[in-house]
Amino acid sequence: MAWTREEMAARAARELRDGYYVNLGVGIPTLVANMIPPGIKVTLQSENGMLGMGPFPYEGEADPDLINAGKQTITELPHSSYFSSADSFGMIRGGHINLSILGGMQVNEQGDLANWMVPGKMIKGMGGAMDLVAGVPRVVVVMEHTEKSGAPKFKRQCTLPLTGTAVVDLLITELGAFEIDSRGGGATLIELADGVGLDEIQSKTEAHFRVCSTLA
Amino acid sequence: MAWTREEMAARAARELRDGYYVNLGVGIPTLVANMIPPGIKVTLQSENGMLGMGPFPYEGEADPDLINAGKQTITELPHSSYFSSADSFGMIRGGHINLSILGGMQVNEQGDLANWMVPGKMIKGMGGAMDLVAGVPRVVVVMEHTEKSGAPKFKRQCTLPLTGTAVVDLLITELGAFEIDSRGGGATLIELADGVGLDEIQSKTEAHFRVCSTLA
Amino acid sequence: MTSKVYPDAAASLEGLLFQGMTIMAGGFGLCGVPENLILALRNSGVMDLTVIGNNVGCDNHGMWHVLTNGQIKKVLASYVGENKVLEQLYMNGGIEIEFNPQGTLAERIRAGGAGIPAFYTRTGYGTAVAEGKETRQFQGEWHVMETGLTADLSLVKAWKGDTEGNLVYRKTARNFNPMIATAGNVTVAEVEELVQPGELEPDQIHTPGIFVQRIFKGTQYVKYIERLTTRPRQAAAAGEAH
Amino acid sequence: MTSKVYPDAAASLEGLLFQGMTIMAGGFGLCGVPENLILALRNSGVMDLTVIGNNVGCDNHGMWHVLTNGQIKKVLASYVGENKVLEQLYMNGGIEIEFNPQGTLAERIRAGGAGIPAFYTRTGYGTAVAEGKETRQFQGEWHVMETGLTADLSLVKAWKGDTEGNLVYRKTARNFNPMIATAGNVTVAEVEELVQPGELEPDQIHTPGIFVQRIFKGTQYVKYIERLTTRPRQAAAAGEAH
């Protein structure tokens, strides 16, 4: 049984550590906000200019001046702070955010990531994705293992325009998790979803990867 | 009669315009604060992080958290604002301060300024002087015309280490005022102190300069 | 003494607009957008604009009005989704868009306002963003040289402002406004509340008045919410997990 | 959950100090100086320090204590007047000083904290400051390349701070503290008032807690005034000219 979206988010949530400042992308990464393990404190950053992002407001209490980077209405917490976009990306570029969890279109075995455009399709822009992968010391990508067509998305080389090179440290798909050494050491399968075999994940992956000894 | 210190400051004050944001150096330039012409509004910046510098506090009311760039205790005004040194020099470097009035050790006919160190003597550092002359669009230097020895301070070339090159727009001494074209057009004597003759100022000046037609 | 205060958006733009000019506008999505100024810009009909901002409005809102009026020639932005007209114009070659990573765009504007002509960043190295730009290693890591940005005119929106141009922003409506205020040859600010000097705390001013040449009290703020997300009150306990 | 709060200066520095390290400290003159942290640094006796800050104390105050204790090997500063020991050490070759223009120093620290390895500025072109540095023209004007600065440890002083490390500075005591807070591998803050989260207004926090790893309530602040300047009360009318 492959992991569900919630299980993928839960696997990503296991990367959280006490005291971390974390930036979550849209989609599955957003689910991680509700899966912070008990007993640890995690502060969420929204790159449009906020630390200490709170939950959605109660009905009727949304404030148009308080949105996250996905343009959703949110709330503040007692320890929240606001700042400009320049200060926000100073935080990101300067390596002060501990962990970023993002979606992806393609990842390669060196940790390159493509997640912002498909040539020939509507181009919306990269937003803050390039800054996040370049600036945050640990980047986790959560994505479907294959295209709808069945084509692998974890590749030898990305074919889509890149968001960053050698930036992904951990790749989580519905089939398992790969640690990637972005200093050139390649990829290692470190976890398999329950009921997913090594054969299955190998057949659906184009990237070369080692297999962690506990799984081999 | 050469100008007094107060008259030199008063001449500098004639450079003020309504709405100007101005940075004043220590010494004679500081006197300009008390000579703002009636009917115009000038806001003083202190480069350690304040706009809207007010007068000295009343006796017994000095606040150690409120000083100017000369480390003197000052006061705030209704429109004052505080900011970091990075933001302060962003303001200066970005050309937002309209006018800077500074002291000088030597000025040359191209507008080079030396005002921060004398080799072999105690070196204290340049503080914000290099940033001010590089960033502020109009720089006025107020200084004595000669050394105590009688040696000219307005020179063909500065012999002291420079604060900036081609930065001085107006030089005011006790003998008169020179406009300097920092784009390479040279210096022009535009004013003489009452009772100072062209001969006198020429004999005490090493720099080449033209004489404004009204003075010739 | 000259006053910085203008009666309304149209008056505040008088004498500042010309064909082919570059205009920066604050806002992230539709949050913290100078709504009144953008409508006055649309009404002015000034043409061939280069517009710099994180977004360019979204359907029926914000800079979309100027865009659909055919006034914009080129856009510098980081994200232009939720704006069908712009997407269509771009795909048809009817408009030029220079995409900038959001943090690079923010920093380029800050640099422009702070007199820094260029800086280096890791962001975008090895991607399309670095094409045609100088790249260089610092401490073994590759970086891209990016240049500072300034504009003929900056339009910003603040919560409160005083008659001296000191501005205070509210929550995430701050976003790009503070840097944009510093990078305009002329900066015009619209505020929800225009107050007298002394009513804003000097320690808490986000944009000092030196950056603002003209200011007025805006009216009829729509503050359209792009994605209203809420939770039912009974789910409070579960929803407060983080 | 780990707390950022420490009982005092000595405890807040435990495990952070090592010989040869680089330390940044906030303050302009003796305004906004981390007084308690500097005394704890002196008491630690850690040697061969490189100290970065606008000044290095003045006679009998601030970083002067660490200096006279022989712990400093090198200084990066913009101005070191009013500090006879330092001037003497420097003239005798007993200490290395790298003078930086004040704005360049402030920007280098900001750049270090913001992940910018280098930037260009007009400041210092054609002067001793530019010697050995890359120079380059942008739009016909010459600029100097300056690099970002970071430190092993940053020491800052704020007025109020909460237990999450959010800081608020008071008046011109802000100065270099906000940038220095961002540029330390570890940043320790001392505050006059330590409050609970929620007591500081989120719109008015100058340094977000992400930059502060340790915080404590300082004691016995001296806040020595270098140049007490006042006016007699009867001269009020004349003195208020500007």
Side-chain angles (χ1 to χ4, degrees):
Chain A
M1 288 295 295
W3 284 329
T4 61
R5 284 165 56 90
E6 284 68 26
E7 287 168 328
M8 290 162 75
R11 175 61 190 83
R14 281 172 42 206
E15 299 299 309
L16 302 171
R17 301 287 177 272
D18 188 30
Y20 264 22
Y21 291 86
V22 176
N23 185 294
L24 301 176
V26 296
I28 298 176
T30 299
L31 302 177
V32 174
N34 298 316
M35 299 180 178
I36 296 170
I40 75 168
K41 163 133 203 170
V42 168
T43 303
L44 300 179
Q45 198 235 25
S46 188
E47 67 264 28
N48 52 322
M50 183 188 199
L51 270 172
M53 187 165 47
F56 295 150
Y58 293 124
E59 287 169 4
E61 296 183 3
D63 181 342
D65 288 339
L66 181 42
I67 65 173
N68 66 17
K71 319 273 166 71
Q72 296 171 314
T73 47
I74 51 168
T75 55
E76 70 185 26
L77 298 172
H79 61 281
S80 295
S81 58
Y82 300 102
F83 32 84
S84 73
S85 299
D87 288 344
S88 180
F89 282 93
M91 226 171 255
I92 289 167
R93 198 188 307 102
H96 303 280
I97 303 290
N98 302 96
L99 178 69
S100 177
I101 304 177
L102 297 169
M105 294 173 177
Q106 293 180 341
V107 171
N108 85 353
E109 62 199 48
Q110 289 86 33
D112 293 357
L113 170 67
N115 76 346
W116 76 282
M117 75 172 276
V118 179
K121 284 209 186 174
M122 213 60 104
I123 298 167
K124 292 174 187 295
M126 70 290 284
M130 286 191 182
D131 308 282
L132 282 162
V133 300
V136 177
R138 188 162 173 83
V139 173
V140 174
V141 169
V142 182
M143 69 176 188
E144 303 298 317
H145 203 89
T146 57
E147 308 277 355
K148 288 200 184 75
S149 68
K153 296 171 68 173
F154 186 28
K155 302 177 75 71
R156 298 226 58 200
Q157 292 298 338
C158 296
T159 53
L160 294 173
L162 295 180
T163 306
T165 58
V167 293
V168 181
D169 299 291
L170 181 70
L171 170 63
I172 297 167
T173 75
E174 73 277 18
L175 300 184
F178 300 85
E179 192 77 44
I180 302 176
D181 177 357
S182 57
R183 293 282 158 188
T188 306
L189 178 69
I190 58 169
E191 231 164 301
L192 279 171
D194 283 346
V196 173
L198 204 50
D199 281 3
E200 179 183 353
I201 203 165
Q202 264 162 341
S203 71
K204 292 179 173 171
T205 303
E206 180 191 304
H208 290 179
F209 60 88
R210 288 184 298 279
V211 179
C212 175
S213 55
T214 58
L215 298 177
Chain B
M1 288 299 295
W3 284 329
T4 61
R5 285 164 56 90
E6 284 67 28
E7 286 168 328
M8 290 163 74
R11 174 61 190 84
R14 281 171 43 206
E15 299 300 309
L16 301 172
R17 300 287 176 271
D18 189 30
Y20 263 22
Y21 291 85
V22 176
N23 185 294
L24 301 177
V26 296
I28 298 176
T30 300
L31 301 177
V32 174
N34 297 317
M35 300 178 176
I36 297 170
I40 76 167
K41 164 134 202 167
V42 168
T43 303
L44 300 179
Q45 197 233 25
S46 187
E47 67 264 30
N48 52 321
M50 183 188 199
L51 269 172
M53 188 165 46
F56 294 151
Y58 293 126
E59 287 169 5
E61 294 183 5
D63 181 341
D65 288 340
L66 182 41
I67 64 172
N68 66 17
K71 320 275 168 70
Q72 297 172 312
T73 47
I74 49 167
T75 54
E76 70 184 27
L77 298 171
H79 60 281
S80 295
S81 57
Y82 301 102
F83 32 83
S84 74
S85 300
D87 287 346
S88 180
F89 283 93
M91 228 170 251
I92 290 168
R93 198 188 307 104
H96 303 280
I97 303 290
N98 302 96
L99 178 69
S100 178
I101 305 177
L102 297 169
M105 295 173 178
Q106 293 180 342
V107 171
N108 85 353
E109 63 198 48
Q110 288 85 37
D112 293 357
L113 170 67
N115 76 344
W116 76 281
M117 74 172 276
V118 179
K121 285 208 186 175
M122 213 60 103
I123 298 167
K124 292 174 187 296
M126 69 291 282
M130 287 192 181
D131 309 282
L132 283 161
V133 299
V136 177
R138 186 162 174 83
V139 173
V140 174
V141 169
V142 182
M143 68 177 189
E144 302 299 317
H145 202 88
T146 57
E147 310 279 352
K148 290 202 182 74
S149 68
K153 297 172 68 172
F154 186 27
K155 302 177 75 73
R156 299 225 57 201
Q157 289 300 337
C158 296
T159 54
L160 294 174
L162 296 179
T163 305
T165 58
V167 293
V168 181
D169 299 291
L170 182 70
L171 169 64
I172 297 167
T173 76
E174 73 277 17
L175 302 183
F178 299 86
E179 191 79 42
I180 302 176
D181 177 356
S182 56
R183 292 282 159 190
T188 306
L189 177 69
I190 57 169
E191 231 164 303
L192 279 170
D194 283 346
V196 172
L198 205 50
D199 281 1
E200 179 184 352
I201 204 165
Q202 265 161 341
S203 71
K204 292 180 173 171
T205 303
E206 180 192 303
H208 291 179
F209 59 89
R210 287 185 299 277
V211 178
C212 176
S213 54
T214 58
L215 299 177
Chain C
M1 301 194 218
T2 325
S3 165
K4 294 184 175 182
V5 179
Y6 286 71
D8 57 30
S12 79
L13 292 183
E14 224 158 80
L16 300 180
L17 304 178
F18 58 90
Q19 189 180 353
M21 72 188 300
T22 297
I23 297 180
M24 286 185 191
F28 177 90
L30 293 175
C31 183
V33 166
E35 299 182 19
N36 287 273
L37 283 163
I38 287 173
L39 288 179
L41 183 64
R42 194 268 316 271
N43 294 342
S44 79
V46 63
M47 294 295 289
D48 298 332
L49 302 175
T50 294
V51 171
I52 302 176
N54 190 57
N55 319 93
V56 194
C58 78
D59 298 346
N60 302 304
H61 296 281
M63 200 57 86
W64 178 93
H65 291 294
V66 181
L67 181 77
T68 52
N69 202 30
Q71 296 171 257
I72 303 181
K73 177 184 70 177
K74 183 179 175 182
V75 161
L76 271 81
S78 89
Y79 187 81
V80 300
E82 288 76 66
N83 186 328
K84 291 197 191 62
V85 175
L86 180 56
E87 293 176 7
Q88 215 51 59
L89 275 171
Y90 180 54
M91 300 305 281
N92 299 341
I95 198 166
E96 185 184 345
I97 304 184
E98 179 189 318
F99 284 109
N100 282 240
Q102 195 172 323
T104 295
L105 183 64
E107 189 66 17
R108 291 183 71 189
I109 297 169
R110 186 218 172 250
I116 291 171
F119 61 90
Y120 293 91
T121 174
R122 281 190 305 273
T123 301
Y125 178 74
T127 77
V129 161
E131 278 168 25
K133 292 178 187 161
E134 177 178 322
T135 57
R136 175 167 180 161
Q137 277 188 312
F138 291 95
Q139 310 201 318
E141 278 203 86
W142 283 100
H143 292 75
V144 183
M145 192 179 84
E146 297 281 358
T147 54
L149 288 172
T150 56
D152 297 307
L153 175 64
S154 282
L155 309 178
V156 300
K157 157 70 177 24
W159 179 35
K160 295 182 183 178
D162 70 20
T163 56
E164 301 274 338
N166 292 306
L167 304 180
V168 173
Y169 306 97
R170 186 170 173 275
K171 302 188 188 289
T172 56
R174 191 180 318 183
N175 56 65
F176 275 70
N177 284 295
M179 299 83 75
I180 286 180
T182 70
N185 184 37
V186 177
T187 293
V188 182
E190 61 174 276
V191 296
E192 293 180 52
E193 291 182 44
L194 183 63
V195 304
Q196 291 304 307
E199 294 189 47
L200 302 177
E201 171 60 44
D203 269 327
Q204 294 161 359
I205 286 165
H206 297 132
T207 293
I210 190 172
F211 296 114
V212 176
Q213 282 72 48
R214 300 183 181 190
I215 191 168
F216 68 96
K217 185 181 180 321
T219 53
Q220 297 182 296
Y221 283 105
V222 177
K223 290 197 182 182
Y224 182 77
I225 292 176
E226 278 186 76
R227 292 187 191 159
L228 180 66
T229 45
T230 59
R231 55 189 163 136
R233 194 165 277 281
Q234 64 268 29
E240 276 169 354
H242 57 253
Chain D
M1 301 193 218
T2 325
S3 166
K4 293 183 177 183
V5 179
Y6 284 72
D8 56 32
S12 78
L13 291 183
E14 223 157 82
L16 300 180
L17 304 177
F18 58 92
Q19 190 181 354
M21 72 189 299
T22 297
I23 297 181
M24 286 183 190
F28 178 88
L30 292 174
C31 183
V33 166
E35 299 183 19
N36 288 274
L37 283 163
I38 286 173
L39 288 179
L41 182 63
R42 194 266 317 266
N43 295 340
S44 79
V46 63
M47 296 293 290
D48 298 332
L49 302 176
T50 294
V51 170
I52 303 175
N54 191 57
N55 321 92
V56 194
C58 77
D59 297 346
N60 303 304
H61 295 282
M63 199 57 88
W64 178 92
H65 291 293
V66 181
L67 182 75
T68 52
N69 202 30
Q71 296 171 257
I72 304 182
K73 179 183 68 178
K74 183 179 176 182
V75 161
L76 272 82
S78 90
Y79 186 81
V80 300
E82 290 76 66
N83 187 328
K84 291 195 191 67
V85 175
L86 181 56
E87 292 177 7
Q88 216 48 61
L89 274 171
Y90 180 54
M91 298 306 280
N92 300 341
I95 199 166
E96 187 185 346
I97 304 183
E98 180 189 318
F99 284 108
N100 282 239
Q102 195 171 326
T104 295
L105 183 64
E107 190 65 16
R108 291 183 70 189
I109 297 169
R110 189 226 171 241
I116 291 171
F119 60 91
Y120 294 91
T121 174
R122 280 190 306 273
T123 301
Y125 177 76
T127 77
V129 161
E131 278 168 24
K133 292 176 186 164
E134 178 177 321
T135 57
R136 177 165 178 160
Q137 276 189 313
F138 292 94
Q139 311 204 317
E141 276 203 87
W142 284 100
H143 293 74
V144 183
M145 191 179 86
E146 297 281 0
T147 54
L149 288 172
T150 56
D152 298 309
L153 175 63
S154 281
L155 308 179
V156 300
K157 157 71 175 31
W159 178 35
K160 295 182 183 179
D162 71 18
T163 56
E164 302 274 338
N166 292 304
L167 304 180
V168 174
Y169 307 97
R170 185 168 174 275
K171 305 189 188 287
T172 57
R174 193 183 313 185
N175 57 64
F176 274 71
N177 284 296
M179 300 83 76
I180 286 181
T182 70
N185 184 36
V186 177
T187 293
V188 182
E190 61 175 273
V191 296
E192 293 180 52
E193 290 183 42
L194 184 62
V195 304
Q196 291 302 308
E199 294 188 49
L200 303 177
E201 171 60 44
D203 269 327
Q204 295 162 356
I205 287 166
H206 298 132
T207 292
I210 189 172
F211 296 114
V212 176
Q213 283 71 48
R214 300 182 181 191
I215 190 168
F216 68 95
K217 184 180 181 321
T219 53
Q220 298 182 296
Y221 283 104
V222 178
K223 291 197 182 182
Y224 182 77
I225 293 176
E226 279 187 75
R227 292 185 192 163
L228 180 65
T229 46
T230 59
R231 57 189 161 136
R233 193 164 278 280
Q234 63 268 30
E240 276 170 355
H242 57 252

